[in-house]
Amino acid sequence: MAAEGPLSALASALGGKEAPDNACRYGGRPGHVESYFLRANHSSRPLALWLKATILAPLASPAVAEAWFIFFDGEKGTTFAQRCTEPFEQAAFTGAGAPELQVRAAGLELLLGAQGSARGAFVAPEGTAALDLVWKADASPIAMPLSLFPYRLLRTGPFPKSKVLTPFPALRFSGRVTLPGGEVVLDDWWGMQGHNWGKEHAFEYVWGQCLFPADDAMAEGFSGRLRVAGRTSPRISALVVRKGARTFRFDTLFDVWRQEADVGADAWRLTLRGGDGEAHIEMDASGRPMVCLGYGNPNGEMSYCFNSKLARVTLTVRPMDDASFTCESEHGGALEFLRREADPRFPVV
Amino acid sequence: MPVAFVETMRGTVRDTGGVVRSVDFHVRASGGGRGRFALSGVVHAAPWAEETVASGTMEFALWPPAIDYDVRFRAADGRELRLFGAKKPSLFRPLESMTVLAVALADEAGAVLAEGALRFDLMDLPGFLSSWLPAPTKPHRQLDARRAAVARRELA
């Protein structure tokens, strides 16, 4: 994890070699947030888990490392959610990020790579949750690393302040999770691993990802608004769809006149058009278990992430040069809304 | 001299029950002799036809100025349907008159199933203009592949 000054950051942005997808971007300077997250869904039942290790380096206080864990049980309509925090000095993010990155943060140990593992325990008032997981990247082309940004400069340069990458869009998990209510065995659950970093959290966004194993397809996208020079941008959206060996990118970003995003309280609908055709995705977590996570920003402001991993998803793509296709998932959608205000419906984790 | 171009029109129609439906077609117009073009492409008109191949005609009339579209396709229930309409070019409303197509959807007996308007998106203008270049240009190749894939699926 090399320290990064302004000149090296500029050189990296303009033409230097891009760091490996999972390389830790934190250089020890204040004003940084970074997270590695995983999620996995049962293939047929409404059960899902979400794991995250984060670095928060505030402008005015020492950096901390955090570990997050949520288990979503759509059959019982419950969630188990917990966050553990420790000083950053006690955590470790070691390795180049390729082929692996080892993370130790607040009781959570991750080995991030094409074959990874997670171990940890989370103590909450309702009991203790423990997990012991391994995973491997799926062999399909849909599992190749994915960036929603169309240009490398958007990942390496100063704009936007918040970066997103998906080093492993399609993983297959096994292992076990022990919850206060019993044990859950993960037997070939599908999921993914993502990596975010930046000077702050995006001002506002909806992010969604869904795997459609039966169709050998996946989709990931976002609709977000940025704050630039104190002003809030129009909503900008992007979507990447993979089906077999084909990738359909709807990522021109700034052609907002070809983007129709409808962001509801618990649902997101997005229609995009571009050179690859048209795509429409609907993700709806209404009535499904959801958790509100309090994300600190380096400047002390709070963002609130409303997180469900059991959203219903319908995806339709009309390629310019092929027949259209539709993929559906009853409860396999990862759906997150980042907002500036909490919601009284949910306690903040 | 025969010419060809690819055009996409999108919009909505309101059916006899008052329900608004999305409809679009993506066609190649080829020919041009005496202002008459043959149409061939793909139409989306759920619930009548989710996605199916289409054919038809486009005719230019000098006076009164008009561009008549007649797009034919087979509905999911086997009926032959027609999506027909006309643009009325006007010097006073050049943009709207050339980009808006008032349409009606009718069945074999001529009964109107829905009416509405389709629009040409000016964002499609570069692709539309480039489709006039000597074939095979990208829009033509893409449309050919799309139509062939839809036809294959219907056969299957």
Side-chain angles (χ1 to χ4, degrees), chain A residues 318-348:
Chain A
R318 291 180 180 172
M320 290 293 282
D321 58 356
D322 206 345
S324 63
F325 60 88
T326 296
C327 303
E328 294 179 317
S329 175
E330 182 54 36
H331 38 63
L335 181 60
E336 298 180 8
F337 301 83
L338 191 80
R339 299 185 172 121
R340 286 282 159 165
E341 294 182 355
D343 184 328
R345 293 181 299 165
F346 306 101
V348 179

Side-chain angles (χ1 to χ4, degrees), chain A residues 188-272:
Chain A
D188 201 23
W189 289 25
W190 284 79
M192 50 84 64
Q193 186 244 308
H195 181 197
N196 299 339
W197 71 94
K199 291 183 180 300
E200 62 185 20
H201 293 290
F203 177 70
E204 175 192 292
Y205 67 73
V206 187
W207 172 88
Q209 204 255 12
C210 191
L211 296 163
F212 308 95
D215 299 303
D216 192 21
M218 62 81 59
E220 180 172 340
F222 71 84
S223 293
R225 293 196 299 163
L226 308 172
R227 198 161 51 183
V228 182
R231 290 178 171 268
T232 305
S233 74
R235 188 170 279 137
I236 295 168
S237 300
L239 181 71
V240 175
V241 177
R242 287 179 176 161
K243 183 169 172 54
R246 287 206 66 178
T247 297
F248 303 94
R249 297 193 68 92
F250 304 89
D251 61 355
T252 317
L253 294 181
F254 302 107
D255 57 344
V256 293
W257 49 90
R258 295 201 290 188
Q259 307 174 8
E260 294 174 36
D262 179 11
V263 180
D266 304 325
W268 175 46
R269 281 178 285 278
L270 177 65
T271 302
L272 296 173

Side-chain angles (χ1 to χ4, degrees), chain A residues 4-19 151-159 163:
Chain A
E4 186 179 79
L7 284 178
S8 59
L10 182 64
S12 169
L14 293 179
K17 189 177 178 184
E18 187 173 4
Y151 310 113
R152 191 180 69 151
L153 194 60
L154 295 175
R155 294 190 297 275
T156 58
F159 177 85
K163 317 295 187 186

Side-chain angles (χ1 to χ4, degrees), chain A residues 257-258 273 275 278 318-324, chain B residues 10 24 44 51 121 123-124 142 145-146 149 153:
Chain A
W257 49 90
R258 295 201 290 188
R273 290 202 283 121
E278 300 178 35
R318 291 180 180 172
M320 290 293 282
D321 58 356
D322 206 345
S324 63
Chain B
R10 302 180 182 85
D24 64 72
H44 299 97
E51 180 177 58
D121 186 342
M123 288 306 299
D124 293 334
Q142 288 178 326
R146 185 178 192 176
R153 185 164 67 187

Side-chain angles (χ1 to χ4, degrees), chain A residues 294-306:
Chain A
Y295 287 175
N297 282 287
N299 65 2
E301 293 179 358
M302 288 297 293
S303 299
Y304 299 93
C305 179
F306 300 88

